[in-house]
Amino acid sequence: MEIVRPKIFSKYKSLICGITTRSWGDFKEPAEYKKNSKRLAKKLKIDPARIVKAGIQNGSDIVFIDKNKKNYPGDCLVSSKRNIYLMVTVADCVPVMFFEPQRKIIALVHAGWKGLAKSILKKAVKKICMKYGIRPENLIFYIGPSISKCHFEVRPAVAGLFPASLITKRSNKLFIDLKNAAKSQLLSARADTKKIEVSSDCTYCLSKKYFSFRREGKKTITAQAAFLGMKK
Ligand SMILES: [Zn+2]
């Protein structure tokens, strides 16, 4: 069973991070989450009770985790503690990981079009840097697999929330480049472009590898998990 690993973090051996693929099953529905997160924890050799899962709200709240709880409302979790494993579920939205290697700060964001329209990534960089006294250019980022500009068709009202440079028009349809929206938001918060890795995987295109809300069009969402933590 494959886990997608960010290359940009590979030299940091204390980090435990990745995105599950379809073969790991769903991480959204509570009973499935319980079963599948246990299997994942076993594979990662971590305690499943130390996983802190974000309660997705499509908002832009930044939540600082000081002790582990099972679930936090919000789309951005931040931690400076070892042995806490942040998790968000995604099924087309963009998972974004942050790591500051000197002070050992981590953050994990669920960035959908709603969160991005509310500048969740820009806010996250700003708040994290203020809280810990760190610099944006020292942060390292991974922008993970999500629905890409080949498939993310939106209504004109949604497209209007994003800069024109992120919109493409094909046969009278509008498409947003969400990953690039995420990257430009990080750059506007003074991130270093050399410290940003962007996955080229489209969750809609790669039907064997990922769940995709748009492609599957089901009422109940099935989702992969993005996770990020530091070993104890
Ligand atoms: Zn695609």
Side-chain angles (χ1 to χ4, degrees), residues 1-222:
M1 288 188 296
E2 190 192 349
I3 294 174
V4 175
R5 310 275 190 179
K7 286 184 199 76
I8 200 159
F9 295 143
S10 58
K11 70 171 184 173
Y12 301 105
K13 302 298 177 200
S14 64
L15 286 184
I16 293 186
C17 59
I19 319 279
T20 61
T21 51
R22 225 187 151 97
S23 52
W24 282 92
D26 173 38
F27 282 76
K28 186 94 182 170
E29 194 274 321
E32 288 295 306
Y33 168 72
K34 205 173 170 190
K35 184 179 76 186
N36 295 329
S37 60
K38 252 187 201 162
R39 275 200 306 165
L40 179 65
K42 196 175 172 194
K43 165 87 180 176
L44 301 173
K45 299 187 179 80
I46 62 170
D47 177 357
R50 307 292 294 182
I51 296 174
V52 179
K53 197 179 175 212
I56 305 303
Q57 295 189 316
N58 289 302
S60 62
D61 288 352
I62 315 299
V63 184
F64 293 91
I65 306 296
D66 33 27
K67 49 185 184 284
N68 72 310
K69 280 189 189 168
K70 286 250 162 66
N71 209 330
Y72 275 88
D75 297 83
C76 172
L77 302 180
V78 187
S79 168
S80 61
K81 300 267 191 293
R82 289 179 175 272
N83 200 26
I84 284 183
Y85 304 92
L86 309 176
M87 184 179 279
V88 296
T89 52
V90 275
D92 281 343
C93 289
V94 195
V96 183
M97 300 180 185
F98 296 35
F99 177 53
E100 208 280 350
Q102 280 149 26
R103 293 281 308 281
K104 308 269 191 286
I105 313 293
I106 54 170
L108 182 59
V109 185
H110 164 268
W113 71 262
K114 288 179 184 157
L116 287 168
K118 293 173 192 154
S119 302
I120 187 169
L121 292 174
K122 196 173 179 180
K123 280 186 198 165
V125 172
K126 239 181 158 172
K127 282 201 165 179
I128 292 166
C129 288
M130 283 225 322
K131 164 121 179 157
Y132 298 103
I134 57 177
R135 300 160 68 91
E137 54 270 35
N138 289 345
L139 285 162
I140 304 168
F141 301 92
Y142 174 69
I143 297 174
S146 75
I147 195 164
S148 302
K149 61 180 175 185
C150 42
H151 278 108
F152 194 46
E153 188 194 342
V154 292
R155 290 174 277 126
V158 175
L161 300 171
F162 292 84
S165 58
L166 299 169
I167 311 295
T168 41
K169 202 171 181 180
R170 292 194 302 275
S171 39
N172 245 356
K173 292 173 179 169
L174 297 171
F175 297 83
I176 299 182
D177 186 343
L178 275 187
K179 286 177 194 159
N180 213 0
K183 187 174 180 178
S184 13
Q185 221 167 86
L186 295 175
L187 292 175
S188 75
R190 292 194 296 118
D192 179 349
T193 186
K194 296 189 294 295
K195 293 180 182 169
I196 305 175
E197 179 187 353
V198 184
S199 163
S200 58
D201 283 4
C202 170
T203 46
Y204 194 113
C205 286
L206 301 169
S207 55
K208 286 195 182 117
K209 194 170 178 185
Y210 300 109
F211 295 110
S212 163
F213 178 60
R214 278 288 180 98
R215 189 189 60 236
E216 286 156 22
K218 283 188 275 182
K219 276 190 187 147
T220 50
I221 302 172
T222 41

